[in-house]
Amino acid sequence: MIGKLLKRRARTGEGGSIVVEGARKATGGKGRTRIVMTMAVFFGIFATISGRLVYLGFQTPDMSGGPQSRVTASRPDIVDRNGEVLATDIKTASLFAEPRRIVDADEAIEKLSTVLPEIDYEQTYHKLKSGAGFVWLQRQLTPKQQSDIMQLGIPGFGFRTEKRRFYPSGETSSYIVGLTNIDNQGISGMEKYVDEQGLSDLQASGLAVAKDLKPVKLSIDLRVQHVVRDEIAAGLERYRALGTGAVVLNVKTGEVVAMASVPDFDPNNPYNAQEKDRLNRMSAGLYEMGSTFKSFTSAMALDSGKATMASRFDASHPIRVGHQAIHDFHGKNRVLSLPEVFLYSSNIGSAREAELVGIEGHREFLHRLGILDKMQTELPEVARPTEPKVWKQVNSFTIAFGHGVSTTPLQAAVGCAALMNGGFLMNPTFLVRTQEEAMAVAKKVVGDKTVDGMRYLYSLNAEKGSARNARVPGYRVGGKTGTAEKVINGRYSKELNFNTFVAAFPMDDPQYLVFTIADAPHPEKPGMTDVAASNAGVMAGNIIRRSAAMLGVKPDFSHENGATLVSYQ
């Protein structure tokens, strides 16, 4: 019975359909398993890669495999008031090495030293044997150096194009324009000022694109700057001084038209910029100004209302305070009028003027003119003046003729400018500024009568006094000398002076002021003196003679220095 049934199913194919269906089910199950396993493998791989990427995202990137990009940030050009370029970016090549590709470090250094003989052998050897992916060897090569190194054909050496700063005027304006470091970041002068105004933030964010950076225009006139630097450099040699310097101010706007100090440095090769005597004496040096300070003392006496041009002061004998005595250098030994105190540069007369005003009034007046406060300007290198913590009578007496307080020559020049421009104190600026903009921030510090009186005294001193050496025909120059004993190790030297000279022109309506200094000058020739009139005064006169026309001041030969004296005789 069973056998018949099996034979019948075989004929009809019923059993075959069951076997095939079972096989299909078995095959389908294995296929799905393989697909799931394959997908799992791929998911595992992707998960591993994703995890690695996330991990690397939180790590500090390894920069050893190539040069850093931050060193090539662009800077804006710096130009003078007429558009002449003072600082600009240029492209340069820097040499790097990949130590892992260096075959023979000794041979590589030996070849490299034929082009760069100054290279440090030991330091370079350690770099090439470090096994690092990337090391700098020499930054900012000249085109010839790059070409010569390329011809050496050293495996593992390469070049990166960077930007470096180039200063077309060289040392002429070095203290004003300043410097950048190897990474093209401003570290002094107006270069540092530009960074502090937001450039460094733009560089860090990668937004300092050269085409978008507008030039920074300074108040400097490169032509006048060249004259100033040339004259003080000649004076440094002629008078065998430790240093010389000068500033030209526009008294109507407070603009610094030119300023220089020597010894200086070449910003294109500033190897000696950090030497002891290479500082900007005009804004970063503190000095006792000597008799130039008598400008402020006479102005103070007039402005107080306690003295007039007719006032008289007893200079017939020295003033004694305790164990100290105040003498005149070339005393007249008599009673002097206020103009005579100024003309003969009487220490005794100046002390009497200070005594008339009083200690507190004296101190207040100097602070009013900004002489004893830290100066506010764009240039970063500005020293803070010094004064006695407590002013006593003897302090007021000595400060009246320029001893006992220290300030910067630039601040003294700014204070004198306020006595010439109508009585308005304005912070000096190294950026272009109109007269309207200057007056908007200016402060009236002395009255009109005081200004008229000081113009008269400057003119008188140029006609009959120590300012004669600075006279320039046609330009009506007035001024005041200052010869101070130089302070060395806390004591006054009897051999060395710090000399100053302030000159304004044209005196009927002063437009410009020149302030010159000579640090420890010597007589030009045997028998000559080393007082300010013989050096600082001569430099000021030469600067005016050579630059007045460039400044737009027209000569007028119909006036003499004494023409303004009539109303005070």
Side-chain angles (χ1 to χ4, degrees):
M1 185 69 180
I2 294 174
K4 290 181 180 179
L5 181 60
L6 290 173
K7 287 180 181 179
R8 186 168 57 201
R9 286 184 177 178
R11 285 195 300 269
T12 61
E14 292 177 8
S17 63
I18 294 172
V19 173
V20 172
E21 185 67 23
R24 286 177 179 173
K25 288 182 179 179
T27 302
K30 291 179 180 180
R32 281 193 297 272
T33 301
R34 283 196 296 269
I35 291 172
V36 171
M37 290 178 65
T38 302
M39 291 176 65
V41 170
F42 277 105
F43 278 128
I45 293 173
F46 286 132
T48 302
I49 293 173
S50 299
R52 182 63 176 169
L53 290 174
V54 171
Y55 170 78
L56 291 176
F58 286 98
Q59 304 303 306
T60 301
D62 181 8
M63 301 302 292
S64 63
Q68 302 179 27
S69 60
R70 64 180 176 85
V71 298
T72 58
S74 297
R75 301 184 63 81
D77 286 354
I78 296 178
V79 300
D80 84 335
R81 65 186 308 113
N82 300 312
E84 295 292 331
V85 176
L86 301 174
T88 189
D89 280 347
I90 61 172
K91 290 183 179 180
T92 184
S94 291
L95 176 67
F96 68 88
E98 299 172 275
R100 295 170 187 169
R101 296 180 54 201
I102 300 297
V103 178
D104 189 333
D106 290 299
E107 182 182 6
I109 298 173
E110 185 176 347
K111 288 183 177 181
L112 184 61
S113 64
T114 61
V115 179
L116 303 175
E118 73 281 2
I119 198 165
D120 187 305
Y121 185 96
E122 185 176 353
Q123 185 182 62
T124 306
Y125 180 82
H126 287 307
K127 285 183 178 181
L128 297 183
K129 297 294 287 185
S130 66
F134 169 87
V135 292
W136 286 117
L137 293 182
Q138 187 81 359
R139 305 282 287 277
Q140 300 182 352
L141 300 169
T142 66
K144 185 178 187 305
Q145 287 173 327
Q146 181 187 14
S147 176
D148 291 345
I149 294 172
M150 290 178 66
Q151 291 180 19
L152 297 176
I154 305 174
F157 279 15
F159 298 93
R160 159 126 190 210
T161 299
E162 296 188 285
K163 291 185 179 72
R164 67 165 291 184
R165 212 59 168 157
F166 176 63
Y167 303 92
S169 61
E171 57 270 276
T172 301
S173 55
S174 55
Y175 284 121
I176 296 176
V177 177
L179 279 173
T180 58
N181 60 16
I182 195 86
D183 293 331
N184 219 23
Q185 299 166 334
I187 57 174
S188 69
M190 295 302 288
E191 292 278 31
K192 183 176 181 180
Y193 168 78
V194 170
D195 279 28
E196 292 172 346
Q197 300 310 298
L199 178 64
S200 56
D201 294 333
L202 284 176
Q203 291 176 334
S205 63
L207 299 177
V209 181
K211 64 182 180 63
D212 296 332
L213 298 175
K214 294 182 179 180
V216 177
K217 181 177 284 190
L218 304 187
S219 58
I220 303 304
D221 187 320
L222 186 57
R223 302 168 302 170
V224 181
Q225 180 72 23
H226 170 75
V227 169
V228 167
R229 203 270 174 183
D230 186 56
E231 285 297 335
I232 65 172
L236 182 73
E237 182 177 353
R238 184 185 310 130
Y239 308 120
R240 292 168 288 136
L242 288 179
T244 52
V247 61
V248 178
L249 275 177
N250 183 327
V251 302
K252 303 290 189 180
T253 65
E255 293 172 299
V256 177
V257 181
M259 187 178 77
S261 173
V262 290
D264 51 16
F265 61 93
D266 182 355
N268 295 306
N269 184 26
Y271 69 94
N272 57 354
Q274 298 300 318
E275 291 182 0
K276 180 181 177 182
D277 287 332
R278 296 179 191 273
L279 80 157
N280 183 0
R281 284 171 164 81
M282 299 307 293
S283 67
L286 290 176
Y287 307 98
E288 293 188 353
M289 294 293 160
S291 294
T292 306
F293 242 58
K294 291 171 183 172
S295 298
F296 308 128
T297 307
S298 293
M300 173 184 68
L302 292 171
D303 204 63
S304 70
K306 297 179 179 180
T308 67
M309 285 294 176
S311 296
R312 299 171 70 79
F313 301 90
D314 185 3
S316 59
H317 56 274
I319 298 177
R320 297 193 177 276
V321 182
H323 298 293
Q324 295 177 296
I326 296 172
H327 299 269
D328 280 343
F329 185 59
H330 291 299
K332 298 300 177 180
N333 302 314
R334 62 178 174 83
V335 174
L336 302 175
S337 67
L338 189 148
E340 287 178 323
V341 169
F342 192 84
L343 180 65
Y344 300 135
S345 199
S346 171
N347 294 340
I348 299 172
S350 296
R352 296 295 186 194
E353 290 175 334
E355 185 178 33
L356 182 68
V357 174
I359 297 173
E360 288 305 317
H362 191 180
R363 185 174 185 273
E364 184 277 330
F365 185 82
L366 292 182
H367 277 282
R368 193 196 314 169
L369 265 66
I371 306 299
L372 300 181
D373 298 310
K374 186 174 181 181
M375 183 170 54
Q376 300 300 313
T377 188
E378 299 86 8
L379 202 67
E381 294 78 26
V382 173
R384 182 181 294 277
T386 62
E387 62 174 307
K389 289 184 179 179
V390 178
W391 283 44
K392 299 179 181 179
Q393 187 69 72
V394 66
N395 301 120
S396 183
F397 283 167
T398 59
I399 291 168
F401 53 86
H403 287 75
V405 295
S406 297
T407 191
T408 70
L410 180 57
Q411 280 178 269
V414 170
C416 290
L419 305 179
M420 295 290 111
N421 68 7
F424 294 96
L425 179 68
M426 49 190 73
N427 289 329
T429 181
F430 291 84
L431 302 175
V432 174
R433 182 165 69 187
T434 65
Q435 187 170 347
E436 291 73 21
E437 291 170 335
M439 291 303 294
V441 296
K443 182 173 70 171
K444 183 79 167 177
V445 289
V446 295
D448 294 341
K449 284 189 176 181
T450 303
V451 172
D452 292 339
M454 293 310 300
R455 290 179 181 180
Y456 165 75
L457 293 177
Y458 272 30
S459 298
L460 175 67
N461 200 40
E463 182 191 9
K464 299 180 179 181
S466 60
R468 290 191 299 269
N469 286 350
R471 289 187 299 183
V472 179
Y475 289 106
R476 293 136 16 240
V477 179
K480 181 73 182 79
T481 55
T483 302
E485 293 178 343
K486 187 175 172 66
V487 179
I488 299 178
N489 297 325
R491 294 188 176 184
Y492 289 106
S493 169
K494 298 299 182 182
E495 290 79 32
L496 298 175
N497 296 331
F498 183 83
N499 294 348
T500 58
F501 190 92
V502 57
F505 69 100
M507 284 311 302
D508 48 337
D509 183 19
Q511 305 292 314
Y512 294 94
L513 182 140
V514 178
F515 197 101
T516 55
I517 66 169
D519 188 355
H522 292 80
E524 184 178 1
K525 297 177 182 178
M528 297 183 68
T529 65
D530 61 353
V531 296
S534 300
N535 39 70
V538 173
M539 290 189 294
N542 290 341
I543 289 170
I544 295 171
R545 185 176 296 106
R546 294 177 59 184
S547 65
M550 298 177 190
L551 294 169
V553 180
K554 296 180 180 180
D556 183 357
F557 297 97
S558 65
H559 292 76
E560 296 293 335
N561 279 322
T564 58
L565 307 184
V566 178
S567 61
Y568 291 102
Q569 293 296 336

